[in-house]
Amino acid sequence: MNIILLGPPGAGKGTQARKLVDERNMVQLSTGDMLRAARTSGTEMGKMVAGVMDRGELVTDEIVIGLIREQLEGDAVDGGGAGGGFIFDGFPRTLAQADALGALLNELDQPLDRVIEMQVDDDALVGRITARSTCGDCGEVYNDKTTPWPADGNCANCGSTKQTRRADDNEESLRTRLLAYYKQTSPLIGYYYAKGDLVSVDGLASMDDVAESIKSVLA
């Protein structure tokens, strides 16, 4: 089963993707992770990515689609290692990217089973994210109000002491990122609704409740 997770910055897409990876043997295709891996891979595509990033230029849609193609075709060659399918996280962001991804999936005879929109209230989201921290080792997410970093200073998941906060997790930066999301990415909601692929869940529910909602969508 191949799915897209849609939602504004901080909606919890990464957290839910990790749960799906652990529970359903899915493979998370994060644009940022793929670019970082490609840059050091030594492949022709990797050299192209490194050159673009070293010049300070934006990575083109064609390059990102090429990286996704490598993942999908590599999985087929390896005998279907992504037994649970793929999670597209951070891509597509625009209608042009959505068209390109759809064309690639059709070409490779791969389905797009669901597009899950994690709906949030902007003010509540800003309040939640400005209180957010993560474990620098395992990525476990904490919140100063609801799930604070353990009093003993150790991550409850892995025991690390590396509590980190993103420099742009402040109200001004968040509202700028939200504006960019609504300009670029929110049109995808109507796009996938018209195709009959879109399902919405409450992204501000507890992590476990969101996970249960997603599980029911994928059942």
Side-chain angles (χ1 to χ4, degrees):
M1 179 171 284
N2 299 322
I3 68 171
I4 293 171
L5 292 180
L6 281 181
K13 300 185 295 296
T15 297
Q16 295 304 324
R18 287 195 298 273
K19 284 180 174 289
L20 292 170
V21 169
D22 292 340
E23 296 172 5
R24 300 178 69 101
N25 194 33
M26 299 182 80
V27 173
Q28 180 184 5
L29 294 184
S30 164
T31 304
D33 290 344
M34 285 192 296
L35 289 172
R36 285 187 288 272
R39 185 172 185 171
T40 59
S41 67
T43 65
E44 287 304 312
M45 180 65 74
K47 292 174 183 176
M48 186 184 303
V49 170
V52 170
M53 296 177 74
D54 288 345
R55 293 191 299 272
E57 299 173 359
L58 292 176
V59 176
T60 64
D61 291 352
E62 289 76 16
I63 288 176
V64 177
I65 284 290
L67 293 174
I68 292 173
R69 176 187 292 276
E70 284 187 345
Q71 294 285 338
L72 297 179
E73 290 181 335
D75 184 66
V77 170
D78 293 340
F86 290 93
I87 306 163
F88 297 99
D89 175 15
F91 191 91
R93 292 181 183 271
T94 66
L95 294 175
Q97 291 175 355
D99 283 337
L101 178 61
L104 174 62
L105 291 173
N106 286 336
E107 178 188 339
L108 299 179
D109 197 26
Q110 287 267 11
L112 176 60
D113 296 282
R114 293 288 186 276
V115 178
I116 300 174
E117 177 204 7
M118 298 178 64
Q119 292 182 327
V120 298
D121 172 82
D122 288 355
D123 290 334
L125 179 65
V126 169
R128 182 171 78 178
I129 299 308
T130 53
R132 180 175 67 177
S133 65
T134 59
C135 173
D137 283 336
C138 73
E140 186 75 9
V141 179
Y142 294 90
N143 184 285
D144 296 341
K145 299 174 183 177
T146 57
T147 52
W149 184 264
D152 64 4
N154 299 316
C155 172
N157 185 53
C158 72
S160 171
T161 58
K162 296 179 182 178
Q163 182 185 19
T164 63
R165 295 183 189 272
R166 283 180 50 161
D168 58 353
D169 276 355
N170 59 75
E171 184 168 349
E172 182 179 358
S173 294
L174 277 168
R175 292 196 182 278
T176 299
R177 287 155 58 197
L178 285 170
L179 180 60
Y181 169 78
Y182 289 123
K183 281 183 175 180
Q184 278 196 319
T185 308
S186 62
L188 293 177
I189 295 170
Y191 176 93
Y192 285 117
Y193 175 81
K195 287 178 170 290
D197 297 327
L198 185 76
V199 180
S200 299
V201 300
D202 180 7
L204 287 177
S206 71
M207 284 189 287
D208 288 342
D209 286 344
V210 175
E212 284 299 316
S213 296
I214 292 175
K215 186 183 297 185
S216 67
V217 167
L218 301 182

